[in-house]
Structures are given as C-alpha cells and as structure tokens.
Amino acid sequence: MTFPDWTPDDFRRHGHQVVDWIADYLARVEELPVVSRVEPGEIRAMLPPRAPEEAEAFDAILADLDRVIVPGVTHWQHPGWFAYFPTGASPPSILGDLVSSGLGVVGFLWATSPAATELESHVMDWLVDLLDLPQGWKTTGPGGGVIQMSASDATHLAFVVARHRMRETAPVERMVVYSSREAHSSVEKGARVAGVPHVRPVAVDGELAMVPAAFEAAVVADLEAGRTPLAVVSTVGTTGTTAIDPVRAVGQIARRHGLWHHVDAAYAGTAMVCPEFRHHQDGLELVDSYVFNPHKWMLTNFDCSAFWVADRRPLIEAMSILPPYLRNAASESGQVIDYRDWHVPLGRRFRALKLWFVLRSYGAEGIRAMVRRHVELARGLADRLESDPRFELVAPVPFSLVTFRHVAGDRATDELAAGLNASGDVYVTPSHLDSGSFIRVSIGQRTTEARHVERLWQLIDELAPPA
Ligand SMILES: *Cc1c(COP(=O)(O)O)cnc(C)c1O
C-alpha cells in the first residue's frame, strides 16, 4: 500500500469545495434552529464504530458534514444567538485561521518562524493603542502582550507568576486569591490549578461590583491570621451581569499590600475600542496583568485571548526553562521574544494571523461600529423591558448584555427562558442570583440586527404571562 497523499491540486479542488461549503453555511445559518435538537448519543450512533482502514473519497466526508455534523451543531453564528457571550467569528478571521493551518508553523521560539513572533508582538502592540491600554504594556516597553488560548489560561497564568514571585517569602499553603463573588469560575479554577488553596469571594454592592473596603478587610484579616494575600482579580464586565469592579480602588489596595492585580475583561475588553467606554476601566496603571478575549466580541475565531503584563520579567522568570536543544543564537542575543516563555505549553499556533486579518479587514472604525450597534440594540431592549410592568431589569446595561426577570418570580422567569429557547429562532441563557432566576440576553453576534432583537422582543411579549 502506498501513502495516498493529496497533490497540491487535490488540495486546491477540495479547498474550494470547503470554502463554498462554509460560505453556504454562513448564508443559510439564520434559517436553521439555533439550538441543536439531537438527543445524547445521536451523533455517535451515526458514526462507524471503527476508523476506516482505507482512504475515503473527500466527497463522502463532505456529504457526512451535512448528514451527521450539522444536525448536532448549535449555531453560535446565528443572528438569534443571545446566549452566553458571542463567539468571535468572522469571514476574515476564518481565512486567517486557514492560512495559519496552511503554514503549519509552530512558533515557540522566534527562530522557529520569526514572522509568527513578530506579527504577534506587533498586533498586540496595536491593540494597546486601539484599546488605550498603558503604553508600557507594549513589547517595546517593560511589559508585553501574548496570545493565550483562553481567559481562563491567562488568569491561571497570572496566579502562577504571582506565586513564583513570592516563592522564597511564603509557602503556597498560606497564599490567598481574592475576587468579587461575581467573578468568573476560572478564578477559583485557576487558583486550584496553581495550588493556591484559599479563594476569597469578596462582597459586592447593589450593582454587583466589588466593594473595595470589603476586599481590604479580607486582606487584613488574612494577614492577621498569618496568611499571604497573593493576588486579586478585578472583573470589567462579569459573566453574569457585566458588573464592573472599581479597578483603581482595587489597584490601590493591591499596591498597599503587595498583591498581584489581574484584570479580567474577557468580554467587555473589546468595547474599549470606543473611547466612551474607557472610563469603566480607569486605573489600569495600577494593574499587573490584563486579559480580554478577541474570540468573544472582537470578530476573531476561537482561540484568541489577549494577555498583557505590565512587566514581562516575572512572567519570563516563572515560565522559562532552557534545555540544550532549544538554545540558539537569536535567543542568546537577547534581541528577540521567545513566546514559549510567556505561557505553559511549548508549541503554539500562528494565531496572530487571524487577528491581523480582522484588524485590517474591518479597521478600528468597523469594529467600533459593530460594538455601538450591539450596545444600542441592548439599550433599546432594556428600555422596552423596563417600561413593561411584567419585567424588571436585574442589573445596569453598561455594554450589550441585558439581564431581566419576570416580576411573577422564578417559575415565570424559568418558563419564559425555556419557551424562548424552544422557539428555534433565539437562544438566551437562564441564570440565577441570590435574588432569584433571571434571563441573560447577550447581543454580540456579528450579524445580529434590529430585526433579530425585534423577533426576540415579540417572543418575550407573546410568551410572558401577565404580571
Ligand atoms: C467568558 C469569560 C471567561 C472565560 O473565558 P475563556 O476564554 O473561555 O476561558 C473568563 N472571565 C469572564 C469575565 C468571562 O466572561
């Protein structure tokens, strides 16, 4: 048996078929039910029990995409997608990802593909200006940016760096991490993975933002008990309700007590491309690390999580281990960045390409226009809900997430969410706070327009019982 490889012409032919398939998918996704309706196990039951012994025709694989896979897909790119947060997908990003796959480089050292490293540093520096982050975070300054797989990884990494920095002064068993009680679950998970045993969920105010005095009181109590406050996470745009922690006040307390201050702006970070949202993260000069996800709202396909440190030295100290086979003249010259030292894995994809394609294809003005459209649609929906006696808003709407509940209580709210999601036209996320059930409507899909939010409102209006 010979190796049945494709020729470049086979690739060209099938590549055109695949691009056509994706273009057709994007054109018709709106007609598909947003949420997949398969039962558990239904997809596997359509697959053969064993991998094929012999090469199959590509047409057979493509046919099975439609037959087997599409019915089991929940369509994140449907314009009626109002669940979780959006997936950052866009045509230029898909093509950038394709080029990354086409090049197939693994850019762990500058020397393993100089363009992979230099483009990544460069687009991350671009983002510093686009989002008005501190200039010192550029790779030309003391800090620097790197693309990570996810915000969870970045938060975990921040804890590992903070822990490493303190390794000679305090045992890890005594270390403590703080965040608001509304912070993402990745804070607790990151602390657990980093071996930090204590996580303090700090009290929040009426708008669900961290209360700085409660944070400081927790730090002082831990110090008095002989523990070591290690790090604090400020969230700009919590997952539940897009609450905004006071970055400056938290940063001042963190500085006073020597904590690492990490900002999680996973979703809301994209909004900072518009000057009118930047006051929400005032105080960034008091921050040690920052993460936001272009793969959420900035039109870039998963995975692409943008992570900066104000000072890259402790990051590299924590992550750098140099075996003889990675030694090379460029690294030893000290003139290049080796991104393997900026995260946990060695291998890394050329993810900067898709971000570069996105930033150039839309331009900052294009991204601003999309963000403002989503925010305006969210405010319009919030106004309607607020002026209808059946509903109440759960939290303010600083960005494009609307959270509301039915005034009749949890049952009416839960049933409304279930009814909306059974419609096939929209997908929302039912959620819960101490105050009860509520519905999250996240408006951020690239193709979502006024008529899609209108359809959502129509369904809410029809399905909701009287107050
Ligand atoms: C979505 C989200 C995360 C997790 O993002 P991943 O990239 O999937 O790990 C973390 N924090 C906040 C505030 C989020 O909204």
Side-chain angles (χ1 to χ4, degrees), residues 159 162-178 191 195-200 215 218-232 254 257-260:
F159 295 160
R163 183 193 71 191
H164 193 78
R165 196 175 60 153
M166 291 262 220
R167 71 195 178 285
E168 273 154 21
T169 46
V172 68
E173 309 85 72
R174 295 211 198 123
M175 291 179 177
V176 192
V177 160
Y178 308 79
V196 176
H198 307 287
V199 179
R200 301 268 180 267
F215 162 48
V219 168
V220 169
D222 279 319
L223 285 169
E224 280 167 2
R227 286 184 284 265
T228 308
L230 180 73
V232 59
H257 299 284
L259 283 79
W260 185 278

Side-chain angles (χ1 to χ4, degrees), residues 154-429:
T155 299
H156 165 234
L157 185 56
F159 295 160
V160 170
V161 177
R163 183 193 71 191
H164 193 78
R165 196 175 60 153
M166 291 262 220
R167 71 195 178 285
E168 273 154 21
T169 46
V172 68
E173 309 85 72
R174 295 211 198 123
M175 291 179 177
V176 192
V177 160
Y178 308 79
S179 70
S180 103
R181 48 174 304 182
E182 289 297 313
H184 190 262
S185 56
S186 56
V187 171
E188 187 177 341
K189 193 179 195 174
R192 191 191 296 173
V193 177
V196 176
H198 307 287
V199 179
R200 301 268 180 267
V202 177
V204 292
D205 63 18
E207 297 196 343
L208 304 173
M210 193 195 297
V211 177
F215 162 48
E216 185 154 38
V219 168
V220 169
D222 279 319
L223 285 169
E224 280 167 2
R227 286 184 284 265
T228 308
L230 180 73
V232 59
V233 178
S234 293
T235 308
V236 175
T238 59
T239 312
T241 65
T242 59
I244 301 159
D245 291 336
V247 173
R248 178 173 296 282
V250 172
Q252 283 161 346
I253 296 164
R255 281 281 153 96
R256 201 144 58 230
H257 299 284
L259 283 79
W260 185 278
H261 184 199
H262 175 66
V263 169
D264 176 0
Y267 149 78
T270 294
M272 306 307 160
V273 76
C274 304
E276 66 269 28
F277 297 106
R278 291 177 189 159
H279 65 277
H280 289 308
Q281 57 181 24
D282 170 59
L284 289 183
E285 70 276 16
L286 301 173
V287 165
D288 296 298
S289 55
Y290 181 101
V291 66
F292 97 100
N293 283 345
H295 70 228
K296 269 186 174 152
W297 201 9
M298 201 179 262
L299 298 157
T300 309
N301 282 66
F302 191 85
D303 54 329
C304 186
S305 188
F307 177 65
W308 286 272
V309 283
D311 179 358
R312 61 180 170 267
R313 283 170 309 180
L315 171 63
I316 294 170
E317 267 165 36
M319 289 292 117
S320 182
I321 294 173
L322 185 60
Y325 50 84
L326 293 181
R327 287 187 189 282
N328 68 91
S331 298
E332 270 153 38
S333 77
Q335 290 179 330
V336 300
I337 283 177
D338 291 323
Y339 273 129
R340 73 181 184 98
D341 296 332
W342 293 53
H343 65 172
V344 174
L346 174 67
R348 54 202 327 278
R349 297 188 332 113
F350 195 168
R351 287 173 293 207
L353 272 173
K354 58 189 169 191
L355 196 49
W356 189 51
F357 274 37
V358 165
L359 295 174
R360 295 182 64 185
S361 299
Y362 291 101
E365 275 304 330
I367 299 169
R368 285 184 199 115
M370 182 198 70
V371 164
R372 288 177 178 139
R373 166 162 54 94
H374 290 149
V375 172
E376 196 184 307
L377 291 172
R379 292 194 177 142
L381 178 66
D383 287 346
R384 280 175 145 177
L385 288 161
E386 239 184 340
S387 55
D388 188 313
R390 290 173 294 174
F391 309 112
E392 66 187 16
L393 293 183
V394 168
V397 184
F399 305 108
S400 68
L401 179 76
V402 181
T403 53
F404 74 102
R405 63 164 59 100
H406 196 290
V407 292
D410 285 0
R411 223 180 108 194
T413 304
D414 295 342
E415 283 177 6
L416 175 56
L420 292 169
N421 289 345
S423 73
D425 288 354
V426 300
Y427 190 29
V428 299
T429 307

